């Protein structure tokens, strides 16, 4: 009987311990599932203050009993993350907002670095000297010469200056540069002797027109977004007009008599030189045709009115006069050609071939 009673007491004790452990585990699990509410301020004693009712002698904790409330269980990772996010949001709300002046200063300081602003001093000291040197080389080059310049670099300079609102200044500098060059060319032509005047004028005209074929494409961005848009003009027309005003207008009345004289004397001036000058003058100012319509009609079509039947005899007389002039100047190329053709026919005849081989 005593053993049975002891066994029942042991089973009862173990059941009580199991219930207590199960209850403790469930309480711990609940603490992990949700954060515990903060303890009330009255429940946490302040060690720096005395309890109400006067100062009492503080006694240490009894052995085996914890001092103060039991420690709270540590929350899981999700709860810690939520708390850190809440803390960061609180710090952001508490931080003062930046003032407008500080924001503007930051944008202003970085804009020059990001946009690479070209000031007026930068344009005068860096960009225009590059363009000035390239224009010098293009204006003074001879046909067929190689110019060691980077067209990509020059075009890039023009593009940047246009984007930074330096188009007006760049156009003004370009016009001044080319005007100064043409004034020097005009002075050199005035000092030329009559026998070299036509040839030197032809060289100056051809050199300038050849330079425009390179200068105009290099400044095409300025032409498109400034000259055509704001001035309603074209860069090539403006540059051709400069040659007309500073060179051709000053020399046309000295040049035209020499051209008419050269026309009356065959081959005094090479036909290519005569054609280049006449076509160039017509391009510069078409109304100059009225000064010598016959001369211009030889190189430019549709200058004279259409031929009529009543003037055919006059045209024939002009052709006969031209042939007599050629013969008087010793030009017998036609006779020599006919003579050579006759010799070839005589040489290729059967009798000539037989005689040359010794047959009779």
């Amino acid at each position: 009987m005593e053993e049975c009673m002891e066994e029942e007491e042991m089973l009862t004790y173990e059941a009580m311990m199991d219930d207590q452990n199960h209850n403790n585990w469930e309480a711990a699990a609940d603490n992990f599932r949700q954060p515990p509410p903060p303890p009330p301020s009255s429940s946490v004693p302040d060690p720096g203050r005395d309890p109400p009712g006067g100062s009492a002698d503080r006694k240490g904790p009894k052995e085996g009993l914890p001092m103060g409330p039991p420690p709270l269980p540590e929350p899981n990772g999700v709860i810690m993350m939520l708390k850190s996010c809440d803390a960061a949001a609180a710090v952001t709300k508490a931080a003062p907002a930046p003032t407008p002046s500080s924001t503007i200063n930051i944008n202003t300081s970085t804009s020059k670095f990001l946009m690479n602003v070209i000031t007026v001093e930068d344009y005068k000291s860096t960009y225009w000297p590059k363009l000035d040197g390239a224009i010098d080389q293009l204006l003074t080059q001879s046909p067929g010469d190689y110019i060691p310049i980077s067209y990509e670099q020059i075009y890039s300079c023009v593009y940047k200056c246009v984007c930074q609102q330096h188009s007006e200044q760049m156009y003004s500098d370009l016009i001044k540069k080319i005007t100064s060059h043409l004034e020097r060319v005009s002075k050199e032509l005035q000092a030329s002797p009559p026998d070299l005047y036509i040839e030197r004028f032809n060289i100056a005209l051809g050199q300038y027109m050849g330079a425009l074929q390179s200068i105009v494409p290099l400044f095409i961005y300025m032409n498109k977004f400034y000259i055509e848009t704001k001035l309603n003009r074209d860069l090539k027309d403006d540059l051709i007009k400069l040659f007309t005003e500073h060179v051709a207008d000053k020399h046309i009345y000295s040049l035209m008599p020499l051209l008419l004289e050269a026309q009356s004397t065959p081959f005094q001036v090479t036909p290519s030189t005569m054609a280049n000058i006449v076509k160039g003058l017509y391009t510069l100012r078409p109304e100059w045709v009225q000064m010598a319509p016959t001369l211009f009609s030889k190189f430019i079509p549709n200058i004279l009115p259409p031929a009529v039947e009543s003037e055919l005899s006059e045209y024939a007389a002009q052709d006969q006069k031209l042939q007599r002039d050629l013969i008087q100047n010793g030009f017998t190329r036609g006779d020599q050609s006919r003579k050579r053709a006759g010799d070839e026919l005589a040489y290729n005849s059967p009798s000539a071939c037989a005689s040359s081989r010794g047959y009779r």
Side-chain angles (χ1 to χ4, degrees), residues 21-36 73-76 79:
N21 291 336
H22 179 72
N23 295 333
N24 292 338
W25 182 85
E26 287 184 350
D30 292 337
N31 290 333
F32 276 97
R33 290 191 188 100
Q34 57 181 358
E74 295 183 359
N76 56 11
I79 298 173

Side-chain angles (χ1 to χ4, degrees), residues 69-318:
L72 301 176
E74 295 183 359
N76 56 11
V78 177
I79 298 173
M80 289 295 293
M81 185 180 298
L82 294 175
K83 286 188 176 182
S84 62
C85 293
D86 294 339
V91 172
T92 304
K93 292 180 180 178
T99 60
S101 60
S102 62
T103 306
I104 294 175
N105 292 335
I106 293 175
N107 294 337
T108 305
S109 61
T110 57
S111 62
K112 184 173 182 180
F113 175 75
L114 296 177
M115 296 299 295
N116 193 17
V117 174
I118 301 175
T119 62
V120 177
E121 292 76 12
D122 295 336
Y123 168 79
K124 293 181 178 179
S125 62
T126 304
Y127 289 88
W128 175 248
K130 294 180 181 180
L131 300 176
D132 184 86
I135 294 170
D136 262 334
Q137 296 184 24
L138 293 173
L139 290 174
T140 57
Q141 69 172 337
S142 299
D145 287 352
Y146 171 73
I147 302 179
I149 63 174
S150 173
Y151 288 90
E152 181 180 1
Q153 183 181 11
I154 301 303
Y155 181 85
S156 176
C157 288
V158 174
Y159 174 80
K160 292 178 181 178
C161 292
V162 172
C163 292
Q164 297 294 325
Q165 306 300 321
H166 296 291
S167 301
E168 183 177 359
Q169 183 64 43
M170 183 166 53
Y171 175 74
S172 176
D173 292 338
L174 177 64
I175 296 300
K176 292 178 181 178
K177 174 69 178 178
I178 296 181
T179 300
S180 177
H181 168 76
L182 293 176
E183 289 177 350
R184 291 195 302 268
V185 171
S186 179
K187 292 179 180 179
E188 294 174 358
L189 287 175
Q190 290 177 354
S192 300
D195 56 336
L196 299 177
Y197 191 87
I198 295 177
E199 188 64 32
R200 289 184 178 178
F201 185 90
N202 178 54
I203 292 174
L205 177 63
Q207 190 177 49
Y208 184 76
M209 291 301 180
L212 294 189
Q213 295 181 2
S214 299
I215 294 176
V216 173
L218 288 176
F219 289 86
I220 190 173
Y221 203 76
M222 180 186 70
N223 183 44
K224 182 177 181 181
F225 290 95
Y226 175 72
I227 301 176
E228 293 181 355
T229 304
K230 295 185 177 181
L231 304 181
N232 296 322
R233 298 201 302 266
D234 182 74
L235 178 60
K236 184 177 181 180
D237 295 339
D238 288 354
L239 299 183
I240 291 176
K241 185 179 179 181
L242 289 180
F243 189 90
T244 304
E245 295 175 349
H246 296 281
V247 179
D249 282 344
K250 297 179 180 180
H251 296 273
I252 187 64
Y253 295 102
S254 301
L255 179 64
M256 193 60 67
L258 295 176
L259 293 176
L260 293 174
E261 182 182 353
Q263 178 193 12
S264 61
T265 305
F267 301 103
Q268 180 179 349
V269 179
T270 59
S272 60
T273 299
M274 186 69 74
N276 291 336
I277 293 178
V278 172
K279 292 179 180 179
L281 293 176
Y282 183 77
T283 301
L284 297 177
R285 203 179 289 279
E287 54 266 26
W288 283 338
V289 171
Q290 305 301 325
M291 300 177 65
T294 304
L295 174 63
F296 280 85
S297 66
K298 292 182 178 180
F299 303 97
I300 301 174
N302 302 324
I303 294 298
L304 296 176
V308 294
E309 186 177 358
S310 60
E311 297 178 354
L312 291 178
S313 58
E314 183 179 352
Y315 300 148
Q318 292 177 359

